Amino acid sequence: MNIPISENPRVVIVGGGFAGISLAKHLLKEKLQVVLLDRNNYHTFQPLLYQVSTSGLEPDSIAYPLRKITRHSKDGYFRLAEVQQIVPEENLIKTSIGDLSYDYLVLATGSKTNFFGNESIEEHGMWMKTIPQALNIRSLILENLEQAVITEDPVKRKALLNFVVAGAGPTGVELCGAIAEVRNHIVPRDFRDLDTNEIQIHLIEGLDRVLPPMSEKASEKAYKFLKELGVEIHLNTMVQEYNGETVTTNKEGLNFKTATFIWAAGVAGAPVEGLNASAVVDKADRYEVNVFNQVTGYENIFAIGDIALMRNEKYPKGHPMVAQPAIQQGRNLAKNIKRLLKKEELVPFEYNDKGTMATVGRNKAVVDLGKMRFGGFFAWFLWMFIHLYFLVGFRNRIVTFFNWIYNYVNYDKASRLIIRPFKSNKKNLEVDQKKV
Amino acid sequence: MNIPISENPRVVIVGGGFAGISLAKHLLKEKLQVVLLDRNNYHTFQPLLYQVSTSGLEPDSIAYPLRKITRHSKDGYFRLAEVQQIVPEENLIKTSIGDLSYDYLVLATGSKTNFFGNESIEEHGMWMKTIPQALNIRSLILENLEQAVITEDPVKRKALLNFVVAGAGPTGVELCGAIAEVRNHIVPRDFRDLDTNEIQIHLIEGLDRVLPPMSEKASEKAYKFLKELGVEIHLNTMVQEYNGETVTTNKEGLNFKTATFIWAAGVAGAPVEGLNASAVVDKADRYEVNVFNQVTGYENIFAIGDIALMRNEKYPKGHPMVAQPAIQQGRNLAKNIKRLLKKEELVPFEYNDKGTMATVGRNKAVVDLGKMRFGGFFAWFLWMFIHLYFLVGFRNRIVTFFNWIYNYVNYDKASRLIIRPFKSNKKNLEVDQKKV
């Protein structure tokens, strides 16, 4: 793949998510050749994908060109490539654009949607891990509204106006809140020929509260906020099937006819072929790593972020699959790679939990910050501030900030454009939806 | 299509381009039912499409939701629909979502790319009349750069780095200028593993000067600007074929191996079936209209904008197919429809030529303004101001303005994201590229 031979040792980083770019940034000034690979030429700021799905932000403002990261190193390279196999005995990876040898290999491939083997959901549902998928959801929501306007059959219209989301983690909660805002603020003005009351938003959760990873206080507040926005919540309920028309649950009689079913109820690691079976563990398909993020059984292969499963007393199931552990592991591994070069002792990773937050709607967010738990306007303000801070790129921050002010003042979401129709083009877009 | 019967006469406007929305806006407060139809749910600001193609702007900031226009009228409706046929004897149109009767029908369907029957170009070339097409060009340019980095065969690499544009009207000139800026400012930083000198940009024009619709002074200046940016210009040259690998011209020996051929050398009207053959005239497939924009042979069917051919002494071939005549015809027709209601005499349309402008790059634009002809920084500044002024939507203006400042200060174009790959997905995207 045309990477020049360097006198510096070569670090190959697979994946430009939070973990990958955090590592890359901290290595760029070292005596190292850094090769960053990703199947996209941009970093995706996943925490704001739901705002792309619901017309609040344009995709370009939550994406950042990866070449802008590697260009700050004299010996840094980016390649648009998909990694197909690791050959650890040869210190080599096979990719869609050829083979590449490495001195250190860092797997930061992140996670993908987990359907737990439910094929009906994978075939008919929507999910949201990438920008094209978020844009497909945006198109589908808007197309369903347009279709409902011209549908006289009340049963069909109801299905078009029913939005069902499975999984009340942050993604599901934030998505439902944003769809509710579309219903409450946009539809009454833009779609005066629709009866707003016909639009229903259902959130289905298998456990007994929303936002299960957060504190009970946060769950209660988020529940209250969602209710205020008019979201119908079904706790202790499991989705069994979605055949493209009806969502069936494990509760008798609780089924939903819907044209829009979004699955936000599970993630799994996205491992690459080639490592020992013992390295890939647990149901969620993550790589088992030690405290230095070394993959079990390998000296020079590391895993960081969502794909890494580092078990310890405090986190017996590994760290939460969110941005903070990924960023911190990237930073720590950078430190350790520098130490490896100097033959110094490695520093174990320790997760500094900076808290968890989720937003439901305007002035409505919940925050768990150490022992502090609060919700409402201040939490919402803090949520915005933190997200702007971590968003990559000065331009993205300004554009996002401006959009938020605009949306707040005008009760508007301006990006409600069906740029690539999803339905009429579904067959063609399936590649997108499935692959990425 | 579920439009309520109103006591007001119904005006059906087909197309939400400059002409359609200019008319709609001026009719919304009248005692009229206004139905606006478009195959997209947004208005496209076509003069800035080339900046979407070249990563300078995000698509969402040059598009505007059409429902935001009709919502200001109590009796205003938008429908996402494609018009298939007009049945003038029944005052009816047939559309993809059903039939609709009208009292007044206004055709504002704009123009499409004209290949003058050259199938090889239609099959293998790119063009740019819509946002998905502009995004396809953006993806293709970026994919070719990525591909060139890993291509060792010098002949193949040259083809990937050759950008060939046919047609030196404003679109072709602006596109070449913007691609040159990508080469001059972005590639040296982002693609340090590419030799910038290998990137060539060729502009092919059949006539003897660039920007043929403008003054000779503007042509000379634009020519000089393009040369300064390193664009190679081939005047008096006609493209004969593009087989997907090589562009063949009418000049012996002047052929270009290229992976990117953009056709910007012709537009034609986009008429709808159903009117008398005598109404659709001239090579460019436009509707012949009288001074009131009435289509020849019909009392209550009007055509405005690119699709309308209004011939007079000053414009024997009709008005230029650009925004200004469209906007002005929309405004004049609104006045005339109001007069029709009051049974007053109609006012003939008179085109107030506000001048022509084109931009080549930073600080490089040309303006013909009445008898004034100038170029350079002030022209460029005026170009920006005018485009911001006519861009639809407050949010779009602010985001575009900020992006321009950012691009100017940083010599950067931040939206260089391959969100939907064009090449790897070409088969799937062909629908997009062809249909819209």
Side-chain angles (χ1 to χ4, degrees), chain A residues 1-4 35-40 67 77-82 97, chain B residues 146 149-150 193:
Chain A
M1 57 175 80
N2 224 359
I3 307 270
V35 182
L36 176 62
L37 305 177
D38 198 286
R39 68 175 103 188
N40 290 312
R67 283 188 174 271
Y77 296 88
F78 169 77
R79 289 293 179 269
L80 187 66
E82 193 148 354
I97 60 168
Chain B
E146 292 291 347
V149 168
I150 56 167
D193 31 13

Side-chain angles (χ1 to χ4, degrees), chain A residues 306-375:
Chain A
D306 282 3
I307 187 71
L309 179 69
M310 188 190 291
R311 282 186 275 214
N312 57 31
E313 258 177 51
K314 208 170 160 198
Y315 298 98
K317 292 178 175 179
H319 298 98
M321 291 164 83
V322 295
Q324 274 305 319
I327 293 169
Q328 293 178 26
Q329 286 181 357
R331 203 159 49 209
N332 192 66
L333 181 56
K335 210 185 287 170
N336 278 334
I337 289 178
K338 290 180 221 170
R339 285 175 164 262
L340 275 173
L341 294 177
K342 294 187 216 150
K343 306 206 163 140
E344 291 175 0
E345 219 171 297
L346 300 190
V347 185
F349 173 71
E350 260 183 81
Y351 178 40
N352 171 12
D353 186 352
K354 293 194 172 159
T356 324
M357 41 179 48
T359 198
V360 185
R362 55 192 295 129
N363 308 342
K364 291 182 169 65
V366 289
V367 173
D368 287 350
L369 203 67
K371 291 201 173 144
M372 282 164 64
R373 284 117 169 58
F374 54 98

Side-chain angles (χ1 to χ4, degrees), chain A residues 16-18 21 40-66 68-69 128-136 138 171 174-175 383-384 387-404 407 415, chain B residues 58-60 138 395 399 402-403 414-419:
Chain A
F18 286 114
I21 65 170
N40 290 312
N41 76 337
Y42 53 87
H43 163 77
T44 303
F45 190 78
Q46 290 188 348
L48 291 178
L49 274 179
Y50 81 95
Q51 296 206 5
V52 172
S53 300
T54 50
S55 307
L57 289 176
E58 48 270 74
D60 303 58
S61 61
I62 65 158
Y64 188 79
L66 287 172
K68 285 182 85 162
I69 288 166
M128 193 185 67
K129 288 293 285 183
T130 67
I131 286 180
Q133 287 164 2
L135 286 171
N136 288 347
R138 175 174 98 175
T171 304
E174 293 179 332
L175 206 47
W383 179 94
M384 289 209 297
H387 280 73
L388 278 182
Y389 179 82
F390 281 102
L391 190 57
V392 183
F394 170 72
R395 191 200 73 101
N396 287 350
R397 282 181 203 150
I398 300 286
V399 173
T400 301
F401 184 54
F402 169 73
N403 272 306
W404 285 349
N407 296 351
S415 291
Chain B
E58 49 270 74
D60 303 58
R138 175 173 99 175
R395 192 200 72 103
V399 173
F402 169 73
N403 272 306
S415 293
R416 45 186 184 284
L417 317 165
I418 307 171
I419 286 187

Side-chain angles (χ1 to χ4, degrees), chain B residues 279-351:
Chain B
V280 182
V281 292
D282 112 338
K283 280 185 296 187
D285 256 359
R286 299 162 83 185
Y287 289 119
E288 190 180 60
V289 298
N290 65 13
V291 288
F292 312 117
N293 283 94
Q294 272 165 320
V295 176
T296 299
Y298 301 94
E299 279 280 308
N300 62 342
I301 302 181
F302 302 84
I304 52 177
D306 282 3
I307 187 71
L309 179 69
M310 188 190 292
R311 283 186 275 213
N312 56 32
E313 258 178 51
K314 209 172 162 196
Y315 298 97
K317 292 176 175 180
H319 299 99
M321 291 164 84
V322 295
Q324 273 305 319
I327 294 170
Q328 293 177 26
Q329 286 180 357
R331 202 159 49 209
N332 192 66
L333 181 56
K335 207 185 290 171
N336 277 334
I337 288 177
K338 291 180 221 169
R339 285 176 163 259
L340 274 173
L341 294 177
K342 294 188 216 149
K343 308 211 163 138
E344 291 175 359
E345 219 171 298
L346 301 189
V347 185
F349 174 71
E350 259 183 84
Y351 178 41

Side-chain angles (χ1 to χ4, degrees), chain A residues 214-376:
Chain A
M214 292 185 70
S215 67
E216 298 225 0
K217 189 168 171 198
S219 294
E220 276 165 36
K221 272 216 182 263
Y223 186 90
K224 193 178 129 262
F225 288 151
L226 285 165
K227 282 283 180 193
E228 279 171 18
L229 290 173
V231 176
E232 300 188 31
I233 305 167
H234 310 274
L235 299 173
N236 300 307
T237 306
M238 308 277 274
V239 169
Q240 291 183 324
E241 198 198 49
Y242 176 55
N243 61 9
E245 288 184 354
T246 305
V247 175
T248 317
T249 75
N250 64 339
K251 292 212 173 149
E252 218 184 293
L254 191 66
N255 302 321
F256 306 92
K257 276 204 186 308
T258 179
T260 317
F261 174 59
I262 302 171
W263 178 253
V267 289
V272 183
E273 260 182 63
L275 296 193
N276 292 332
S278 63
V280 182
V281 292
D282 113 337
K283 280 184 297 186
D285 256 0
R286 299 162 84 184
Y287 290 118
E288 190 180 58
V289 297
N290 65 13
V291 288
F292 312 117
N293 284 94
Q294 272 165 321
V295 175
T296 299
Y298 301 94
E299 279 280 308
N300 63 344
I301 302 182
F302 302 84
I304 51 176
D306 282 3
I307 187 71
L309 179 69
M310 188 190 291
R311 282 186 275 214
N312 57 31
E313 258 177 51
K314 208 170 160 198
Y315 298 98
K317 292 178 175 179
H319 298 98
M321 291 164 83
V322 295
Q324 274 305 319
I327 293 169
Q328 293 178 26
Q329 286 181 357
R331 203 159 49 209
N332 192 66
L333 181 56
K335 210 185 287 170
N336 278 334
I337 289 178
K338 290 180 221 170
R339 285 175 164 262
L340 275 173
L341 294 177
K342 294 187 216 150
K343 306 206 163 140
E344 291 175 0
E345 219 171 297
L346 300 190
V347 185
F349 173 71
E350 260 183 81
Y351 178 40
N352 171 12
D353 186 352
K354 293 194 172 159
T356 324
M357 41 179 48
T359 198
V360 185
R362 55 192 295 129
N363 308 342
K364 291 182 169 65
V366 289
V367 173
D368 287 350
L369 203 67
K371 291 201 173 144
M372 282 164 64
R373 284 117 169 58
F374 54 98

Side-chain angles (χ1 to χ4, degrees), chain A residues 54 145 180-192 410-414 416, chain B residues 71:
Chain A
T54 50
L145 291 175
E181 288 193 328
V182 169
R183 176 187 60 190
N184 301 347
H185 303 310
I186 311 289
V187 172
R189 289 181 295 177
D190 262 26
F191 291 84
R192 279 167 303 128
N410 296 287
Y411 288 80
D412 198 6
K413 293 176 190 283
R416 45 185 184 285
Chain B
R71 82 182 186 197

